Amino acid sequence: MPELLIELFSEEIPARMQARAAEDLKRLVTDGLVEAGLTYEGAKGFATPRRLALTVQGVTARSADLREERRGPRVGAPEKAVEGFLRAAGLSSIEEARIESDPKKGDFYLATIEKPGRAAEEIIAELLPKVIRGFPWPKSMRWGAASAPTDSRFAAPGAEGTASLRWVRPLRSILCSFGPETEDPEVIEVAIGDLVSSNLTFGHRFMAPEPITVRRFDDYVAKLEAAKVVLDAERRQNIIATEAKNLAFAQGLEVVEDKGLLEEVAGLVEWPVVLMGAFDKGFLDIPQEVIRLTIRQNQKCFVLKDAANDALTSRFLLVANLEASDGGKEIVAGNERVIAARLADARFFYEQDLATPLEEWGKKLSAVTFHDKLGTQAQRVDRIARLASALAPLLGARHEAAERAARLAKADLPTGMVGEFPELQGVMGRYYARAQGESGHVADAIRDHYKPQGPGEAVPSEPVAIAVALADKLDTLTGFWAIGEKPTGSKDPYALRRAALGVIRIVLENELRLSLKPLFADALKAAPAASGAHEVAADLLAFFADRLKVHLREEGARHDLIDAVFALGQAANPDPPLQGEGRGEAPGWDGAKSAESAASLPPAPGGATSPLKGEERSKPLGPAQDDLLVIVRRVAALGQFLDSEDGQNLLTSYRRAANILRAEEKKDGISHEGEPDHALIHQSGQEEERRLLAVIESVEAHVAAHLGEEDFAGAMAQLAELRPAVDAFFDHVTVNAEDAALRANRLKLLSRIRVAMHKVADFSKIGG
Amino acid sequence: MAGSLRGATVRRSREIKSIRETAALEHMSPRRSFQGLILTLQRYWAERGCVILQPYDMEVGAGTFHPATTLRALGPRPWNAAYMQPSRRPTDGRYGENPNRLQHYYQFQVILKPSPPDLQELYLGSLEAIGIDAAIHDIRFVEDDWESPTLGAWGLGWECWCDGMEVSQFTYFQQVCGFDCAPVAGELTYGLERLAMYVQGVDNVFDLNFNGREGAEKVSYGEVFLQAEREYSRHNFEHANTERLLRHFQDAEAECQALLATGRAEAERDGGPHRMVLPAYDQCIKASHIFNLLDARGVISPTERQNYILRVRGLAIACGEAWLMTEAGGA
């Protein structure tokens, strides 16, 4: 089977775009082949700084012949219809069509369209220019004489102006060969702009720049390798990683691993050569983070640590693109000088920054706008300090310390070092705070208050740091909520989802008991554009509910259990539900989805609030639905309970009760909610009926007591006590008694089971 | 190569490219003298057909501001030029105390329109000419997209690295003054002090040998520029009168707009070209430099900053538009 080899040779392609471009080339070409009726066995794309390459193996030599019958209009149909048919079928006159007879519809025209198969060469020659001209580079450009305007007397022939070919950098040559393994492949002729395809490529820019004639993929790879080009980026990475490790090991050192940097440098060289350099040990006084970033970001070199004690050393590894004739001496010397200059610059910034107290740096924040509607960074710091101070006692932190840390938390933003390396915000603040004698708690809080920045990062665990971290995030969230800048769909320019998730993780991982609503209210008091604070807080709480659900689901919690606990929210919430605001993504919290939840509980006669709602309201022990930790513990306890035999059995009983109730309520068209008639049960009820009522009342009391102590496992164990009585009831009592009063009362009894159980969770939401 | 400085020292090596002949005079070697580096680059690009210009006689933030680049990059006429341009970045001043930062430094600028197919090779040839041997030095083209918000210009290209040091910027202009470049020009900018420090092997810019002589005859970069760095740092950061500067900015802006309007009215009346672009563009350059000074004086808030940039950009775009109505602009 023939194979196809394509190489697009250009000036240096940005490292970050190479991998994606190799994939795009593969996808666009193979999709195009398949669409044109060819098949292939396998394909792989490659990229180096100067080329994209693609091999496609096992390509069919021709596409199949296609034969298609097209039915036309009746014989004698209007001329227009006949014309349309001729056009569609590609016929020049109606004589070319056959006439078929249909017993029902009479005679009609029929055309046979034959599409002969096409040679793969022809298909590729047509496809490749399309792929190149439409290539999805993130950024592309025009160049050279071809970009001159066509209507200009200065333009060379073939100029296309702004319509000229775009590529990521100038495209220099195109290699395209196709043919079976047994024969010499042929060059498929493709012309784009002033480029014509060939079977030529070029080796390493400096070590082997001569043209190379290529037949197919295997000799292509081998000849490139001989010309000092490693085609496969993964292999270049492996070579770098191995050489780096060996060089480090020989000196008793270890490479500080950096996957991102490895990928980047592999995209900057065609022939990697790893070399070791050193800088003056005196620079090791500079914070390690600074050294590492300076060397990584500006010089794209790896730093090395001492294998014995993990400390950063004064050695580094660079990846050159050259086997230098002097063994790399000049290259190392040059890199060492640049790194020394960079580190000297960094030290200059560091010392300059240290010369001014953090408070002074902080004053510059009054000139920095945080957001048009949310004031300056300095105003923001004021708000965070106030909030952190208020949070401190709830977290066991001294409020002076929390306020101090908050006042200094953003003060490093105007410093020279953070200006140079924005990712060192907080990290530098900590160094500067320590240098001016701030306590360890305050200094650490300055660094840690940004955390967690991503799912992999640990949350702050010291009370002072927690206070500032929460204050920072809550100020951001309430501020943007107050001015109506909420995330929508995929748009979240202020990273508000991350901020909310940060709050959630800080609270849960530190097992903090916090009521969010009063915190929101407090933060909103200071928000510059606060309007309708109550609605804003409720809406933000719904957002948190949503984020919490996403978080719990990611942590592996069953979503039906989450729903079962969240469904309690609408019942427990004393605030008027916020309906009709279209917050579809926040079900079950603060009534956002109360319409749906309420549907399972028919409204009580007379339009009064449902007994469930009334009951919950009257009891202060209802679930605190703005306390994240409580919600999560309840979900966990529910999960454990349902994993037990008792739990499963009770769920079965619950469903039986609920099903009967639903069926009968539907039949009757009325709700059977409400308190059963105790006197009637005692007078004419059966033993099992009386027993069930007694058990329900006792269980309810115990459940309430356990919930009051937030002992969710205890509350669920209590619920399990219901089971024998419920089972006995179903075994011995006929719910649909002939006596209408007795029947109604028994149905009420069933609804009481449901009421009792919904104190713990909405079991109707539980699946499986 | 006519008019070269042929001497007895070069007769023995006829095969050596004539470009090296200049360098062969010891004190003119780019490895020995700052001016030797500049002269070598000038010769190199002169030999390749560039018009060798002298610096523009105004304060500019970068060699790109020279009308020989900004304006000549627009329109269909071919244009190849090279020149050294002193550039001023008031905020980069360090009172002469930082070995790597200057508020006034030299750039060597090359513009080739349309960009020739072998521009990378031509560039590498220029490095060879100043003594950077590609067999022992690691030369790399690292992604760096260029944008000048004040000029309404952008392009794609690279920073050119030599052994980890950025020695040049290499850009294919895509837009200048808000107009698509057709044809596209290639622009090379060499940071001369850095390059000189590299080839001379010195770590402090003020230690650069300026004239290539030794002993009493030697003139260092510090002797030429250190006093200026100190004085201008004081001026830029402390003493420039901001009220007057604000007025100057407004004056330059108004003058630019007035000149452009006059030129346009004449052109419309006579049906001829715009005949007032270059003087107007001078005022745009002036406004840009005054803005940089105000910025260094710290009197421009972040929000105002954006506004000033937009005002200068507005002038640049208006100049570009007018340039396209001139003969050199291809009209």
Side-chain angles (χ1 to χ4, degrees):
Chain A
M1 293 276 263
E3 65 172 68
L4 169 65
L5 173 65
I6 296 170
E7 185 202 61
L8 305 171
F9 183 81
S10 68
E11 297 181 7
E12 275 76 356
I13 306 167
R16 66 190 169 93
M17 298 178 188
Q18 290 168 17
R20 174 69 191 273
E23 273 309 299
D24 283 340
L25 179 62
K26 181 176 105 174
R27 179 176 54 83
L28 292 170
V29 171
T30 54
D31 284 1
L33 294 179
V34 171
E35 205 172 295
L38 298 178
T39 64
Y40 67 98
E41 281 161 9
K44 190 163 168 92
F46 300 89
T48 78
R50 294 213 293 164
R51 62 199 89 218
L52 294 182
L54 172 70
T55 167
V56 188
Q57 307 100 33
V59 183
T60 37
R62 301 184 60 79
S63 60
D65 296 342
L66 288 180
R67 198 186 149 91
E68 189 191 335
E69 297 220 310
R70 187 182 286 263
R71 201 179 149 141
R74 271 182 305 106
V75 173
E79 208 165 309
K80 273 240 159 96
V82 174
E83 273 172 26
F85 169 60
L86 292 180
R87 237 192 339 269
L91 303 182
S92 50
S93 96
I94 198 67
E95 272 73 57
E96 293 169 24
R98 295 198 314 277
I99 295 174
E100 289 258 323
S101 291
D102 185 288
K104 283 181 197 155
K105 295 180 185 158
D107 294 349
F108 61 91
Y109 291 109
L110 194 73
T112 305
I113 305 166
E114 296 207 1
K115 278 193 193 154
R118 297 170 69 206
E121 287 88 338
E122 198 184 317
I123 290 171
I124 295 164
E126 208 174 274
L127 173 65
L128 192 54
K130 275 193 221 157
V131 169
I132 293 174
R133 289 218 179 247
F135 204 81
W137 291 108
K139 262 186 187 175
S140 62
M141 54 165 274
R142 296 171 293 111
W143 66 91
S147 62
T150 41
D151 56 359
S152 155
R153 62 204 147 101
F154 307 105
E160 295 174 273
T162 48
S164 67
L165 174 63
R166 304 184 73 91
W167 200 244
V168 64
R169 295 292 184 275
L171 182 61
R172 289 286 171 233
S173 84
I174 299 169
L175 179 157
C176 187
S177 89
F178 182 79
E181 283 165 50
T182 46
E183 294 164 31
D184 263 353
E186 63 171 289
V187 172
I188 296 187
E189 219 170 280
V190 175
I192 300 168
D194 50 3
L195 297 176
V196 178
S197 59
S198 69
N199 56 356
L200 295 181
T201 184
F202 304 87
H204 187 279
R205 183 188 278 288
F206 300 108
M207 293 189 282
E210 303 78 23
I212 301 165
T213 308
V214 168
R215 289 153 50 92
R216 60 174 65 81
F217 185 63
D218 48 6
D219 74 314
Y220 170 69
V221 174
K223 282 173 179 164
L224 278 184
E225 190 108 10
K228 307 288 184 190
V229 174
V230 178
L231 182 65
D232 187 352
E234 213 177 297
R235 246 199 83 211
R236 292 196 302 274
Q237 282 187 36
N238 290 338
I239 292 170
I240 295 167
T242 311
E243 279 188 33
K245 216 171 170 179
N246 292 344
L247 277 172
F249 182 76
Q251 307 281 333
L253 303 176
E254 249 175 52
V255 184
V256 175
E257 303 239 341
D258 192 332
K259 182 80 182 130
L261 180 61
L262 182 61
E263 276 169 23
E264 189 181 358
V265 293
L268 289 173
V269 295
E270 291 204 307
W271 190 257
V273 176
V274 184
L275 298 166
M276 187 181 289
F279 53 85
D280 191 310
K281 283 200 173 68
F283 285 123
L284 290 171
D285 299 342
I286 305 171
Q288 299 210 348
E289 292 92 335
V290 173
I291 296 179
R292 189 172 164 196
L293 265 180
T294 301
I295 289 179
R296 176 201 204 278
Q297 222 132 301
N298 295 327
Q299 297 311 126
K300 308 197 192 300
C301 293
F302 294 87
V303 289
L304 294 163
K305 58 184 181 182
D306 194 321
N309 62 9
D310 254 18
L312 207 63
T313 67
S314 60
R315 305 290 184 97
F316 65 90
L317 293 174
L318 68 98
V319 183
N321 186 35
L322 191 76
E323 279 174 1
S325 58
D326 67 350
K329 248 200 295 198
E330 285 283 334
I331 297 174
V332 169
N335 275 275
E336 284 178 342
R337 282 178 49 205
V338 185
I339 281 183
R342 294 276 192 185
L343 290 175
D345 235 19
R347 178 148 66 192
F348 171 78
F349 281 128
Y350 184 54
E351 285 168 359
Q352 282 281 109
D353 290 352
L354 280 173
T356 303
L358 272 178
E359 291 92 327
E360 291 302 310
W361 284 115
K363 284 182 187 157
K364 292 183 188 280
L365 294 174
S366 55
V368 183
T369 309
F370 172 64
H371 183 281
D372 275 353
K373 292 181 183 163
L374 295 175
T376 64
Q377 281 281 18
Q379 289 171 316
R380 186 157 172 265
V381 167
D382 284 341
R383 297 196 298 267
I384 295 172
R386 208 183 53 80
L387 204 52
S389 169
L391 273 162
L394 304 174
L395 304 164
R398 282 179 41 240
H399 74 81
E400 298 90 344
E403 175 159 3
R404 177 81 184 148
R407 292 235 163 258
L408 298 180
K410 310 284 182 195
D412 64 355
L413 294 181
T415 62
M417 191 65 89
V418 176
E420 197 76 0
F421 298 115
E423 55 270 70
L424 288 182
Q425 59 179 16
V427 173
M428 294 321 298
R430 175 172 168 274
Y431 279 106
Y432 301 148
R434 293 194 73 109
Q436 69 181 42
E438 302 293 334
S439 76
H441 291 312
V442 169
D444 288 350
I446 293 171
R447 177 192 59 194
D448 295 339
H449 85 279
Y450 289 107
K451 297 179 181 175
Q453 302 251 49
E457 193 174 51
V459 302
S461 56
E462 277 294 315
V464 177
I466 294 173
V468 185
L470 287 177
D472 182 28
K473 291 167 179 63
L474 290 173
D475 175 71
T476 303
L477 286 161
T478 51
F480 282 108
W481 241 257
I483 62 168
E485 289 277 357
K486 297 182 274 185
T488 50
S490 61
K491 286 205 188 97
D492 184 10
Y494 304 108
L496 300 178
R497 289 194 180 101
R498 191 172 74 190
L501 181 61
V503 172
I504 290 168
R505 281 190 52 208
I506 290 171
V507 166
L508 297 184
E509 291 175 33
N510 288 296
E511 307 203 337
L512 302 177
R513 294 297 311 276
L514 288 176
S515 256
L516 292 178
K517 280 193 140 182
L519 288 178
F520 292 169
D522 204 22
L524 279 166
K525 269 186 232 151
S531 64
H534 185 78
E535 284 75 19
V536 171
D539 192 48
L540 183 54
L541 203 54
F543 179 71
F544 263 85
D546 208 40
R547 292 293 102 200
L548 177 61
K549 281 172 95 168
V550 171
H551 175 64
L552 291 177
R553 247 177 258 158
E554 276 167 10
E555 297 275 288
R558 275 168 56 181
H559 67 87
D560 57 336
L561 304 191
I562 300 170
D563 286 341
V565 170
F566 272 92
L568 295 174
Q570 52 92 20
N573 174 30
D575 297 320
L578 286 169
Q579 281 180 351
E581 289 206 353
R583 268 199 331 271
E585 58 167 10
W589 185 299
D590 269 21
K593 205 186 168 188
S594 60
E596 189 188 309
S597 311
S600 62
L601 292 174
T609 358
S610 81
L612 174 63
K613 214 163 186 168
E615 285 240 358
E616 284 286 339
R617 265 191 194 178
S618 63
K619 288 193 180 172
L621 302 179
Q625 288 296 80
D626 68 340
D627 186 322
L628 302 170
L629 191 62
V630 168
I631 295 168
V632 170
R633 286 186 174 161
R634 202 182 271 255
V635 170
L638 185 59
Q640 271 176 7
F641 179 57
L642 289 173
D643 283 343
S644 73
E645 204 186 324
D646 274 349
Q648 276 306 313
N649 288 335
L650 184 67
L651 184 62
T652 311
S653 304
Y654 168 88
R655 284 185 179 147
R656 197 166 166 191
N659 287 343
I660 294 173
L661 206 50
R662 192 181 315 122
E664 299 307 310
E665 282 181 339
K666 196 174 171 194
K667 207 176 345 172
D668 302 347
I670 58 155
S671 160
H672 291 291
E673 296 278 345
E675 195 57 25
D677 183 341
H678 291 222
L680 187 66
I681 289 180
H682 287 291
Q683 239 168 52
S684 38
Q686 287 173 227
E687 167 61 25
E688 289 80 6
E689 225 173 333
R690 285 196 288 277
R691 172 93 192 115
L692 179 59
L693 182 63
V695 170
I696 289 174
E697 287 185 330
S698 130
V699 163
E700 265 189 334
H702 284 111
V703 164
H706 285 290
L707 288 179
E709 291 161 17
E710 292 179 358
D711 174 10
F712 302 115
M716 303 212 187
Q718 276 300 320
L719 278 190
E721 302 283 319
L722 280 171
R723 198 176 63 85
V726 174
D727 287 352
F729 176 83
F730 281 130
D731 288 347
H732 300 285
V733 179
T734 310
V735 175
N736 278 321
E738 294 198 2
D739 180 337
L742 216 52
R743 172 176 173 270
N745 216 35
R746 283 175 184 164
L747 287 169
K748 279 187 174 164
L749 200 54
L750 289 185
S751 88
R752 283 288 280 109
I753 298 176
R754 192 165 66 180
V755 169
M757 290 183 67
H758 279 204
K759 298 252 169 70
V760 177
D762 183 344
F763 282 77
S764 71
K765 303 277 183 204
I766 294 169
Chain B
M1 198 176 74
S4 74
L5 302 166
R6 279 173 198 273
T9 39
V10 293
R11 227 165 276 143
R12 56 190 148 82
S13 51
R14 280 230 181 96
E15 310 85 47
I16 296 181
K17 277 191 207 156
S18 52
I19 191 65
R20 289 283 181 82
E21 294 168 13
T22 306
L25 290 173
E26 281 290 300
H27 68 279
M28 294 300 286
S29 154
R31 290 184 163 275
R32 294 278 301 273
S33 89
F34 188 52
Q35 64 203 32
L37 175 71
I38 298 170
L39 293 170
T40 306
L41 285 173
Q42 285 194 355
R43 282 207 96 102
Y44 178 86
W45 288 106
E47 284 185 354
R48 276 144 192 88
C50 283
V51 170
I52 302 298
L53 296 170
Q54 298 306 315
Y56 202 56
D57 57 344
M58 291 189 71
E59 300 130 315
V60 293
T64 309
F65 275 84
H66 196 309
T69 293
T70 307
L71 295 179
R72 293 276 180 178
L74 288 174
R77 277 178 181 271
W79 173 249
N80 299 309
Y83 54 90
M84 192 277 287
Q85 179 66 47
S87 304
R88 304 203 188 209
R89 305 231 168 133
T91 47
D92 281 354
R94 293 292 182 271
Y95 297 85
E97 286 165 18
N98 185 302
N100 296 303
R101 289 207 192 211
L102 302 165
Q103 56 83 41
H104 170 284
Y105 61 97
Y106 284 168
Q107 288 187 338
F108 192 85
Q109 183 84 8
V110 181
I111 175 160
L112 302 173
K113 179 173 101 176
S115 63
D118 56 349
L119 185 52
Q120 280 189 314
E121 287 71 25
L122 287 172
Y123 168 71
L124 293 169
S126 74
L127 291 187
E128 196 190 342
I130 57 173
I132 295 179
D133 177 1
I136 54 170
H137 290 287
D138 186 26
I139 299 164
R140 228 85 73 70
F141 294 90
V142 180
E143 178 193 13
D144 186 33
D145 300 340
W146 172 82
E147 193 183 359
S148 168
T150 44
L151 285 179
W154 69 276
L156 299 189
W158 310 274
E159 323 177 323
C160 307
W161 283 22
C162 175
D163 300 336
M165 184 173 67
E166 183 193 343
V167 291
S168 313
Q169 289 258 353
F170 190 131
T171 308
Y172 291 101
F173 280 163
Q174 300 296 299
Q175 249 189 16
V176 172
C177 297
F179 292 92
D180 282 336
C181 295
V184 164
E187 183 211 41
L188 303 172
T189 303
Y190 303 75
L192 288 177
E193 283 83 353
R194 257 202 216 179
L195 206 47
M197 286 167 74
Y198 193 74
V199 295
Q200 286 191 30
V202 304
D203 292 329
N204 187 327
V205 65
F206 298 109
D207 293 340
L208 280 175
N209 187 334
F210 210 106
N211 63 350
R213 303 282 176 168
E214 294 303 329
E217 288 188 309
K218 174 181 165 182
V219 178
S220 73
Y221 192 91
E223 281 170 74
V224 181
F225 284 123
L226 184 57
Q227 182 183 333
E229 280 301 309
R230 290 178 181 146
E231 291 187 8
Y232 276 105
S233 292
R234 277 164 51 78
H235 169 262
N236 301 341
F237 291 126
E238 301 166 47
H239 295 287
N241 183 303
T242 56
E243 266 173 53
R244 266 196 287 273
L245 284 173
L246 284 165
R247 276 205 308 276
H248 288 341
F249 182 91
Q250 283 161 7
D251 287 347
E253 185 182 36
E255 184 73 356
C256 178
Q257 288 163 340
L259 292 174
L260 287 175
T262 305
R264 174 175 284 273
E266 285 170 354
E268 277 165 9
R269 193 189 58 216
D270 310 340
H274 197 296
R275 288 177 295 154
M276 205 82 82
V277 184
L278 290 162
Y281 181 66
D282 281 356
Q283 299 301 316
C284 170
I285 295 179
K286 202 173 270 184
S288 171
H289 178 64
I290 294 168
F291 160 69
N292 289 340
L293 276 175
L294 286 166
D295 199 24
R297 290 287 279 116
V299 294
I300 295 178
S301 76
T303 25
E304 283 175 322
R305 204 166 185 280
Q306 189 54 28
N307 193 31
Y308 274 101
I309 290 173
L310 288 176
R311 282 164 76 179
V312 178
R313 181 198 190 93
L315 299 181
I317 287 174
C319 289
E321 194 180 8
W323 172 260
L324 292 172
M325 297 164 65
T326 68
E327 202 197 330

